[in-house]
């Protein structure tokens, strides 16, 4: 498919919510894509079609609806495998989101493999979902949680990782592929290769990377990888944990219940095969099926094209924002090293006030600590504003953000 | 801007120059509270003598609404009897700044407006419970604080 800037403009009609008005007739400018993305008609229709025509529980009954539902559900697993170049579909576990995926690893792998005195390494720019599960684990096990700090460009100081690895105590290094606040793209390959040399496992939080760039899990070669469907046009309540088969096989289950068992007796149970061992209970069938359509949609545009579109928008926005007096921008200026996320502060105006004023102009950004309070402490701010882009955003919308910031300046007499 | 105004002259002015901003040395009551979603975070300090708020300060970081409401609240309760503070209602505070509409229009921003009042009610709840042994008043205050927003 030949992709031009018109392609991106045209696909806006697939997203019904982009047609609506907000706040007394203003066009919606949706720049909160790092939190969740909007859904195209194709995805909405896939979910509706499932409930209208196929709805059934899966993996058990032999009737027609059950077979159709099972097939559609399992087809998503194949789509995910192809999308991320995963060789073995049994390594793909459906969960309800990145948070659950990380908690699954912390519980089922961490409790068996992290002991007193061991170290789990995370980073200063993690989302709370990649900090709190490890706090719970290391506190329970009397292990230590260590952080890789960031430098003034918002990049990880990897010398610190070397120091931690030299202790020989590190069991896991867990980090985000792309920061949800700074947009920094982590030097993932380098971290993984350092860890492999030291025989240490790695977990990559791909919540912000998979929606925005080509990810190849075969070449990345981490041990665990987690991401969410709703940040990539898919429905909420669906996520994926990918892990190497030999690791999943050795892990105890996370949740016990239906579908994850082979045989249940009064006092003992044997586990189902992978990945079902980790998929207890009726899964989120409709939304998993909707997720397949989201992947198809993204594949049709092409992840490289999506990345280029976002780079162009981000460059454009940064250029304009740099010129506004009193704007503080966070993160690296090197577009090779960052995604389509811009965190900023505007003079002494609290981000909540900025967001409220520009919301009246129809511009939706996120303000707050973005579930990254450790990073906020590091930046020495209570909160930031964050504009984050996706495939349907345009330069005209960036212009609206810029002009709405002028309103903020006027209200606060800057 | 359309609709009910939030960013009035008065609110902008208070956000730039908050009243009673700072700490008190050895206060009878210190209460910290924060809104986890937006990052408003304040400490409220009270000196209480003979059932009267003799001095009050607050400090911390917050948005314009939080700073303005905290300022006005401290102005309104300074020198007042504990009895008055006990009965003080959120509408009194909101109407002082013309923010009554937030209750209906902005369930998110109402938290910014009422954070200091929540800290105040929790703060004097513990004072009633521990220093005055007034369990009934303390219980009511705690419930009120918990259900403020």
């Amino acid at each position: 498919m030949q992709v031009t800037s018109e392609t991106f403009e045209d696909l806006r009609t697939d997203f019904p919510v982009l047609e609506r008005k907000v706040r007394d007739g203003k066009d919606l400018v949706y720049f909160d894509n790092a939190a969740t993305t909007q859904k195209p008609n194709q995805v909405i229709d896939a979910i509706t079609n499932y409930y209208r025509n196929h709805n059934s529980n899966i993996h058990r009954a032999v009737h027609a609806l059950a077979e159709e539902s099972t097939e559609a559900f399992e087809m998503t697993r194949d789509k995910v495998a192809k999308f991320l170049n995963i060789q073995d579909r049994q390594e793909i576990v459906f969960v309800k989101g990145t948070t659950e995926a990380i908690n699954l690893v912390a519980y089922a792998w961490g409790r068996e493999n992290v002991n007193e005195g061991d170290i789990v390494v995370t980073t200063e720019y993690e989302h709370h979902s990649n900090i709190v599960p490890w706090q719970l684990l290391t506190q329970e096990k009397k292990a230590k949680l260590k952080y890789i700090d960031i430098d003034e460009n918002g990049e990880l100081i990897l010398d610190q990782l070397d120091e931690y690895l030299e202790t020989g105590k590190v069991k896991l290094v867990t980090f985000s592929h792309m920061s949800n606040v700074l947009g920094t793209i982590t030097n993932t390959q380098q971290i993984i290769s350092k860890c492999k040399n030291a025989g240490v496992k790695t977990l990559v939080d791909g919540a912000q990377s998979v929606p925005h760039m080509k990810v190849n899990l075969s070449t990345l070669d981490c041990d665990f990888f987690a991401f969410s469907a709703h940040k990539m046009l898919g429905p909420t309540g669906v996520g994926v944990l990918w892990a190497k088969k030999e690791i999943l096989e050795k892990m105890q289950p996370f949740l016990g219940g239906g579908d994850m068992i082979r045989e249940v007796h009064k006092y003992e149970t044997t586990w189902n095969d992978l990945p079902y061992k980790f998929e207890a209970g009726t899964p989120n069938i409709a939304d998993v099926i909707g997720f397949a359509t989201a992947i198809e949609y993204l594949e049709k545009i092409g992840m490289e094209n999506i990345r280029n579109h976002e780079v162009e928008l981000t460059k454009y926005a940064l250029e304009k924002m740099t010129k506004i007096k009193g704007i503080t921008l966070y993160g690296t200026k090197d577009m090779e090293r960052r995604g389509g996320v811009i965190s900023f502060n505007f003079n002494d105006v609290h981000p909540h006030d900025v967001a409220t004023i520009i919301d009246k102009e129809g511009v939706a950004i996120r303000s707050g600590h973005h579930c990254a309070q450790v990073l906020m402490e590091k930046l020495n701010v209570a909160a930031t504003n964050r504009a984050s882009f996706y495939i349907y955003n345009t330069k005209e919308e960036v212009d609206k953000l810029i002009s709405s910031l002028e309103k903020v300046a006027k209200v606060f007499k800057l | 801007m359309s609709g009910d105004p939030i960013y009035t002259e008065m609110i902008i002015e208070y956000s730039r120059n908050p009243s009673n901003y700072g700490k008190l040395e050895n206060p009878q009551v210190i209460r910290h509270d924060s809104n986890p979603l937006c990052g408003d975070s304040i400490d409220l300090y009270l000196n209480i003598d003979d059932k009267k708020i003799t001095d009050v300060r607050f400090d911390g970081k917050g948005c314009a609404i939080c700073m303005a409401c905290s300022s006005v609240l401290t102005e309104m309760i300074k020198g007042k009897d504990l009895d008055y503070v006990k009965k003080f209602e959120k509408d009194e505070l909101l109407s002082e700044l013309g923010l009554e509409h937030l209750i209906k229009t902005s369930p998110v921003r109402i938290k910014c407006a009422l954070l200091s009042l929540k800290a105040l009610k929790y703060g004097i709840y513990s004072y009633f419970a521990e220093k005055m042994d007034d369990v009934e008043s303390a219980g009511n205050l705690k419930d009120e604080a918990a259900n403020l927003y």
Side-chain angles (χ1 to χ4, degrees):
Chain A
M1 165 175 177
Q2 177 76 25
V3 173
T4 63
S5 56
E6 284 80 48
T7 313
F8 287 99
E9 188 79 46
D10 289 348
L11 59 78
R12 286 178 65 86
T13 54
D14 288 334
F15 294 81
V17 79
L18 298 179
E19 287 163 26
R20 65 161 286 188
K21 307 287 180 193
V22 292
R23 306 295 184 202
D24 299 327
K26 300 285 191 325
D27 289 332
L28 170 67
V29 175
Y30 186 77
F31 282 159
D32 195 15
N33 293 289
T36 196
T37 61
Q38 298 301 340
K39 320 303 174 199
N41 281 321
Q42 289 85 336
V43 169
I44 299 166
D45 292 347
I47 296 165
T48 313
N49 176 54
Y50 166 75
Y51 281 126
R52 280 183 185 280
N53 297 308
H54 306 283
N55 179 53
S56 163
N57 213 326
I58 55 169
H59 294 150
R60 287 288 177 267
V62 296
H63 55 76
L65 297 187
E67 277 187 4
E68 288 162 13
S69 297
T70 303
E71 197 187 326
F73 182 89
E74 290 301 329
M75 197 264 292
T76 308
R77 213 183 299 273
D78 295 326
K79 288 253 186 242
V80 170
K82 189 167 152 269
F83 187 61
L84 297 176
N85 197 17
I86 295 166
Q87 305 306 319
D88 190 338
R89 69 191 304 281
Q90 285 190 292
E91 297 176 337
I92 296 164
V93 178
F94 286 120
V95 290
K96 73 179 182 192
T98 308
T99 298
E100 185 179 305
I102 296 172
N103 276 276
L104 192 163
V105 176
Y107 186 91
W109 180 85
R111 288 171 130 220
E112 294 286 322
N113 292 283
V114 175
N115 296 304
E116 188 168 347
D118 286 343
I119 295 173
V120 172
V121 177
T122 185
T123 87
E124 275 188 329
Y125 63 46
E126 295 312 304
H127 190 280
H128 293 163
S129 61
N130 205 13
I131 293 178
V132 182
W134 307 112
Q135 287 178 346
L136 291 170
L137 175 72
T138 51
Q139 281 162 15
E140 181 187 320
K141 292 290 186 176
K142 297 194 173 71
K144 292 190 187 108
L145 182 61
K146 298 280 188 184
Y147 286 84
I148 303 174
D149 295 339
I150 56 165
D151 64 20
E152 62 281 0
N153 271 328
E155 302 228 33
L156 297 176
I157 303 168
L158 291 187
D159 290 350
Q160 292 179 347
L161 174 62
D162 296 333
E163 286 166 31
Y164 296 139
L165 291 174
E166 272 165 26
T167 64
K169 301 269 190 192
V170 178
K171 284 293 162 73
L172 178 78
V173 177
T174 181
F175 59 96
S176 51
H177 207 174
M178 187 197 289
S179 158
N180 72 317
V181 178
L182 303 172
T184 315
I185 299 170
T186 308
N187 205 333
T188 304
Q189 215 71 60
Q190 203 185 341
I191 296 179
I192 292 170
S193 97
K194 280 175 191 277
C195 290
K196 287 184 94 70
N197 287 339
V200 169
K201 298 269 184 291
T202 47
L203 185 157
V204 179
D205 169 356
Q208 299 293 340
S209 61
V210 175
H212 304 283
M213 58 201 227
K214 182 84 193 146
V215 174
N216 183 331
L217 288 187
S218 289
T219 53
L220 199 65
D221 205 22
C222 55
D223 295 288
F224 304 98
F225 191 92
F227 65 100
S228 299
H230 72 97
K231 293 186 197 288
M232 48 189 293
L233 309 181
T236 51
V238 178
V240 169
L241 169 68
W242 170 85
K244 285 182 177 162
K245 196 170 179 180
E246 65 263 28
I247 300 174
L248 287 175
E249 274 170 345
K250 283 190 202 139
M251 277 162 63
Q252 287 291 302
F254 178 41
L255 302 171
D259 221 22
M260 52 79 70
I261 49 86
R262 179 167 302 283
E263 283 178 34
V264 179
H265 304 286
K266 241 180 181 173
Y267 301 109
E268 65 201 30
T269 293
T270 50
W271 314 131
N272 199 345
D273 294 335
L274 293 174
Y276 310 112
K277 180 170 117 183
F278 294 102
E279 292 181 356
T282 298
N284 190 351
I285 304 166
D287 292 319
V288 166
I289 290 169
F291 182 33
T293 310
I295 295 174
E296 277 167 24
Y297 193 100
L298 293 173
E299 278 180 326
K300 214 168 130 195
I301 306 169
M303 295 311 293
E304 283 87 358
N305 294 323
I306 291 171
R307 167 79 180 139
N308 291 338
H309 173 73
E310 290 177 18
V311 166
E312 206 176 309
L313 272 183
T314 310
K315 262 191 204 162
Y316 181 77
L318 284 173
E319 225 175 87
K320 295 230 159 183
M321 290 174 82
T322 312
K323 289 182 191 144
I324 302 177
K325 211 178 120 223
I327 287 263
T328 308
L329 294 160
Y330 301 98
T332 178
K333 295 196 169 54
D334 180 359
M335 276 313 304
E336 292 292 312
R337 312 273 316 120
R338 76 180 288 164
V341 176
I342 300 177
S343 271
F344 64 97
N345 265 309
F346 193 15
N347 274 296
D348 61 343
V349 184
H350 192 282
H352 254 65
D353 298 320
V354 173
T356 296
I357 294 169
I358 72 172
D359 170 60
K360 298 273 184 199
E361 305 303 313
V363 181
I365 61 164
R366 174 76 191 275
S367 57
H369 54 56
H370 319 290
C371 296
Q373 283 183 306
V374 169
L375 178 59
M376 294 295 116
E377 271 174 33
K378 174 74 175 202
L379 299 174
N380 196 25
V381 293
T384 70
N385 303 283
R386 180 186 70 189
S388 51
F389 309 126
Y390 211 32
I391 54 174
Y392 34 69
N393 292 129
T394 65
K395 287 183 179 170
E396 291 72 41
E397 290 182 313
V398 172
D399 293 339
K400 281 188 187 161
L401 167 67
I402 303 298
S403 62
S404 68
L405 288 174
E406 285 161 11
K407 292 251 158 73
V408 177
K410 207 172 141 204
V411 171
F412 276 85
K413 302 187 174 65
L414 299 175
Chain B
M1 277 179 15
S2 55
D4 293 309
I6 295 175
Y7 296 99
T8 57
E9 290 279 333
M10 186 157 61
I11 287 188
I12 304 292
E13 178 55 31
Y14 272 122
S15 79
R16 288 274 152 72
N17 300 301
S19 308
N20 299 314
Y21 191 81
K23 288 180 171 49
L24 285 180
E25 295 286 324
N26 308 315
Q28 264 88 39
V29 174
I30 305 179
R31 180 75 197 189
H32 173 79
D33 216 326
S34 63
N35 286 323
L37 290 178
C38 63
D40 290 333
S41 172
I42 62 158
D43 288 286
L44 186 73
Y45 308 85
L46 298 171
N47 273 337
I48 302 172
D49 191 23
D50 195 21
K51 295 187 184 176
K52 209 185 257 298
I53 306 275
T54 53
D55 206 355
V56 52
R57 300 269 173 89
F58 80 98
D59 69 355
K61 287 181 185 166
C63 62
I65 298 174
C66 176
M67 288 290 127
C69 287
S70 304
S71 296
V72 169
L73 178 70
T74 55
E75 288 175 359
M76 290 176 88
I77 62 166
K78 202 173 191 172
K80 294 288 190 334
D81 288 337
L82 273 186
D83 233 23
Y84 168 82
V85 178
K86 191 169 81 180
K87 290 180 195 141
F88 187 88
E89 290 195 4
K90 64 182 174 190
D91 294 348
E92 294 176 59
L93 173 63
L94 294 172
S95 64
E96 195 70 17
L97 282 160
L99 289 175
E100 309 93 310
H101 60 87
L102 281 184
I103 293 175
K104 284 204 181 98
T105 58
S106 185
V108 177
R109 303 311 301 271
I110 194 73
K111 295 176 186 173
C112 311
L114 297 179
L115 179 65
S116 55
L117 183 59
K118 184 161 156 245
L120 173 67
K121 295 283 177 175
Y122 269 125
I124 59 170
Y125 141 70
S126 45
Y127 189 83
F128 271 94
E130 287 157 22
K131 301 275 168 63
M132 295 170 67
D133 220 11
D134 181 349
V135 181
E136 195 189 332
S137 295
N140 292 339
L141 281 160
K142 193 182 177 191
D143 287 346
E144 191 190 346
N147 295 312
L148 209 51
Y149 55 81

